[in-house]
Amino acid sequence: MSIQAIEDSKVKAFPKPAKPAEVIAFTAKVRRRFDPAAIAGKLASTLVPPAVVIAVMLVIWQIACSSPNASLPPPSQVWNEAYDLIAHPFFDYGPQDIGLAWRVLISLQRVAIGFGLAAIVGVALGALVGQSIWAMRGLDPVFQILRTVPPLAWLPLSLAAFRDSSPSAIFVIFITSIWPVIINTAVGVRNIPEDYRNVSRILRLNQLEFFVKIMVPAAAPYIFTGLRIGIGLSWLAIVAAEMLTGGVGIGFFIWDAWNSSRLPDIIVALAYIGVTGFCLDRLVAAVGAFVTRGTTAK
Amino acid sequence: MTAYLKLDHIDKSFARGGQVSEVLKDIRLTIDKGEFVSIIGHSGCGKSTLLNLIAGLTRVSAGAVLLEDKEVDSPGPERAVVFQNHSLLPWLTVYENINLAVLKVFGSTRSRAERHDWIMRNLDLVQMAHARDKRPAEISGGMKQRVGIARALAMEPKILLLDEPFGALDALTRAHLQDAVMDIHSRLGSTTIMITHDVDEAVLLSDRIVMMTNGPAATIGEVLAVPLARPRRRIELSSDRTFLRCREAVLKFLYERHRFVEAAE
């Protein structure tokens, strides 16, 4: 759980790193205007360095784990023994014998439900906390304490409450990812310039119109920062939760592989998890960049 | 005839941490329909507070703001404000910014096509129709201020409130916008109150200039009528005797009788 603790501290240390999302979108737009040669050059300069690093790491790993009494399998062994997992992500041989892509999709489905709920509730609560000084005084201390509770500490309680593993896992996702959404939304709402509020007052916008037309767009960069941290946390939490609750997700697959000593399978699963987490992060960032375009520009 | 807008013995004080600071005291002023009135004074004299009171963004401590004999106690589109820093919403295009206002004010009384025509008419009025699909970040400061004016006009306000609308602009852009405001005022006859700290601007644009004494507890020191015929042209006026006399009167008020002393207390 130490990884989660670090990730969690990000929430507090950088409450408003609203910039990354926009920066990505901007460079992407500019790049499109360049000629193909420049694109190829840029592509090479972004792809070649990580490829070299990965190759070097694989070589070191291969050498380090090649001795007969090594405790972990070298890459070559992973490739040979887990080849069907790597090459056929979508096979389906029965209820517990399915490709890793299916497992990832099942985990993603849980994340989608839990994180989706967290996003909706989180933005609403964050707006309340950001808007009302009394809501902030009452709720903020509670949030600050609850958000430090590690995700898996919620699991026994939610198992007791829901009496089923799948909603429990979803609840763990929800409770893990909601805090950064709430806190960032609240900061964003608190930072809405007074002028925008005056505009809405002169136009006599009602609460709902203010929320939809001013508050959400004005706080969008902050909200998406929270969502981005939240999706990262939920992906961390789902793997851990599934290891304990079972089922067919990617987390349980790792636990199952460990129990039957299939170390190469675990390594392949880790690669899947890492790539998926990366994609999720970039997906939220891209959505954020699209939605908030123009918002922060003065 | 009763006054269109009446500021009736207005006091305004702010309480902060047990200390009460009096900002405005005993403000009395009546403004007729169609009049262009400037409020001028040194910084910190409560000009903006006065405008916010008329807009309804802040409440009076005593007295009342009466518009057509009805008390103003909350902000509303019939008293549209053009803010110093334009306050356009950056995530909306120029058109959408105005549409937000038009939809709210005329959403139930005008059809979609009528609203569109109305938005375009107001954009034409400030000569910004060409930038309708641009976002505020993509246009210059002067253009933003034009759009801000268009947005305020699009609410079809009874009173147009300008809060140092040209304060952040360079001199040339400023002159252009002053001409635009004069032109709009002559065409629409809109009752306008403008906060400014620029003497030339006040004399050029106004029918009357309200000069504020220094704070705390600032009040209206003097009201100067500007008996210049409209339309006014800045080049002709620069040597006009009435213009110069008015200008001198304001300057004397500001720099001789109510000199601004930094940190007066």
Side-chain angles (χ1 to χ4, degrees):
Chain A
M1 290 326 299
S2 61
I3 298 167
Q4 256 131 9
I6 292 165
E7 279 291 312
D8 216 9
S9 71
K10 268 190 197 164
V11 181
K12 192 164 198 182
F14 307 109
K16 35 183 164 176
K19 262 113 206 169
E22 290 81 61
V23 174
I24 291 161
F26 186 60
T27 49
K29 254 182 210 161
V30 169
R31 203 179 289 157
R32 217 168 291 148
R33 288 186 196 139
F34 290 157
D35 58 307
I39 296 176
K42 271 233 166 95
L43 219 58
S45 69
T46 46
L47 291 182
V48 170
V52 170
V53 169
I54 290 171
V56 170
M57 278 166 61
L58 285 175
V59 169
I60 294 173
W61 176 14
Q62 181 71 36
I63 295 166
C65 294
S66 282
S67 71
N69 52 0
S71 54
L72 294 176
S76 56
Q77 191 190 340
V78 172
W79 179 261
N80 289 331
E81 290 186 14
Y83 178 74
D84 54 338
L85 287 178
I86 299 167
H88 307 290
F90 285 104
F91 70 79
D92 186 353
Y93 299 145
Q96 270 302 330
D97 193 10
I98 55 176
L100 281 180
W102 290 119
R103 292 181 187 275
V104 165
L105 283 176
I106 288 160
S107 298
L108 277 177
Q109 193 188 350
R110 291 185 180 137
V111 167
I113 299 170
F115 177 71
L117 287 173
I120 294 166
V121 178
V123 169
L125 276 176
L128 180 71
V129 170
Q131 192 67 344
S132 152
I133 187 80
W134 284 106
M136 190 193 80
R137 284 181 190 162
L139 290 171
D140 195 55
V142 180
F143 291 165
Q144 295 296 344
I145 290 169
L146 287 183
R147 75 178 183 82
T148 63
V149 175
L152 283 194
W154 292 100
L155 190 58
L157 209 58
S158 63
L159 279 171
F162 293 107
R163 295 162 196 277
D164 188 11
S165 63
S166 193
S168 306
I170 289 171
F171 175 77
V172 169
I173 301 298
F174 172 81
I175 205 75
T176 308
S177 54
I178 196 169
W179 310 116
V181 181
I182 292 178
I183 291 167
N184 279 280
T185 305
V187 171
V189 169
R190 230 169 287 151
N191 283 342
I192 295 175
E194 196 57 35
D195 291 321
Y196 298 172
R197 293 181 188 276
N198 283 341
V199 168
S200 81
R201 288 174 68 198
I202 284 169
L203 289 175
R204 295 215 178 107
L205 298 185
N206 60 37
Q207 290 284 324
L208 183 68
E209 287 169 326
F210 179 69
F211 180 77
V212 174
K213 292 182 173 172
I214 310 264
M215 194 193 282
V216 170
Y222 293 88
I223 293 174
F224 273 96
T225 305
L227 290 177
R228 205 172 160 187
I229 298 169
I231 193 103
L233 290 179
S234 38
W235 190 236
L236 292 176
I238 186 68
V239 173
E242 282 175 348
M243 288 174 110
L244 296 180
T245 59
V248 281
I250 189 80
F252 179 71
F253 174 82
I254 292 179
W255 194 243
D256 193 39
W258 161 245
N259 282 333
S260 42
S261 309
R262 301 194 310 266
L263 289 181
D265 288 10
I266 296 180
I267 290 165
V268 176
L270 289 188
Y272 268 91
I273 292 172
V275 170
T276 310
F278 175 79
C279 292
L280 282 178
D281 181 64
R282 284 304 154 95
L283 180 70
V284 175
V287 172
F290 177 75
V291 172
T292 62
R293 66 199 187 288
T295 307
T296 45
K298 272 287 158 199
Chain B
M1 181 189 149
T2 53
Y4 193 58
L5 178 80
K6 185 169 186 185
L7 310 182
D8 198 0
H9 298 269
I10 292 174
D11 292 353
K12 177 65 190 173
S13 48
F14 289 104
R16 192 169 292 155
Q19 271 195 325
V20 179
S21 57
E22 234 179 353
V23 180
L24 297 172
K25 185 146 181 66
D26 199 25
I27 301 281
R28 282 171 288 169
L29 184 68
T30 56
I31 291 171
D32 290 333
K33 195 168 180 175
E35 224 183 340
F36 195 118
V37 173
S38 292
I39 299 173
I40 198 165
H42 293 289
S43 53
C45 74
K47 315 186 282 279
S48 287
T49 308
L50 183 57
L51 194 89
N52 284 344
L53 291 174
I54 300 170
L57 290 168
T58 32
R59 300 285 303 270
V60 293
S61 305
V65 178
L66 298 164
L67 178 61
E68 290 184 316
D69 288 328
K70 267 189 277 179
E71 182 168 5
V72 167
D73 57 359
S74 64
E78 82 275 5
R79 280 160 284 118
V81 182
V82 177
F83 297 94
Q84 178 170 12
N85 59 351
H86 65 79
S87 295
L88 299 177
L89 303 175
W91 55 88
L92 298 179
T93 63
V94 163
Y95 183 90
E96 289 165 340
N97 262 291
I98 299 176
N99 187 39
L100 180 71
V102 171
L103 200 60
K104 186 63 191 169
V105 179
F106 300 113
S108 54
T109 53
R110 294 186 188 182
S111 73
R112 177 181 274 273
E114 282 172 330
R115 291 199 303 267
H116 172 77
D117 289 344
W118 178 240
I119 294 168
M120 292 317 291
R121 186 128 63 87
N122 281 286
L123 277 176
D124 278 331
L125 205 57
V126 294
Q127 293 148 33
M128 285 300 295
H130 61 93
R132 53 177 278 188
D133 294 323
K134 292 230 163 80
R135 285 170 198 277
E138 298 165 336
I139 57 179
S140 71
M143 290 161 114
K144 281 181 220 174
Q145 208 52 272
R146 283 175 187 268
V147 178
I149 293 170
R151 177 173 65 180
L153 289 173
M155 301 176 205
E156 213 163 56
K158 290 178 176 165
I159 293 201
L160 185 61
L161 302 170
L162 308 171
D163 187 2
E164 293 191 27
F166 317 127
L169 303 175
D170 64 273
L172 283 173
T173 314
R174 216 181 155 115
H176 277 301
L177 274 168
Q178 287 164 353
D179 290 343
V181 166
M182 268 199 290
D183 180 47
I184 289 165
H185 179 246
S186 73
R187 279 210 250 170
L188 304 181
S190 44
T191 312
T192 310
I193 300 176
M194 179 178 73
I195 302 286
T196 183
H197 48 232
D198 182 324
V199 177
D200 287 347
E201 179 173 292
V203 178
L204 180 67
L205 295 178
S206 320
D207 297 315
R208 279 191 298 157
I209 301 172
V210 173
M211 293 174 261
M212 305 271 295
T213 63
N214 284 334
T219 189
I220 294 174
E222 206 172 294
V223 179
L224 177 79
V226 182
L228 287 167
R230 292 179 188 273
R232 299 171 181 173
R233 270 176 261 282
R234 66 177 66 241
I235 296 170
E236 294 164 18
L237 285 181
S238 59
S239 55
D240 185 282
R241 293 179 71 163
T242 321
F243 180 87
L244 293 174
R245 186 177 51 75
C246 291
R247 194 169 173 273
E248 191 188 0
V250 179
L251 285 171
K252 273 195 171 149
F253 178 90
L254 288 176
Y255 297 103
E256 274 179 15
R257 289 161 49 203
H258 292 277
R259 263 185 76 174
F260 180 58
V261 186
E262 204 87 49
E265 289 296 285

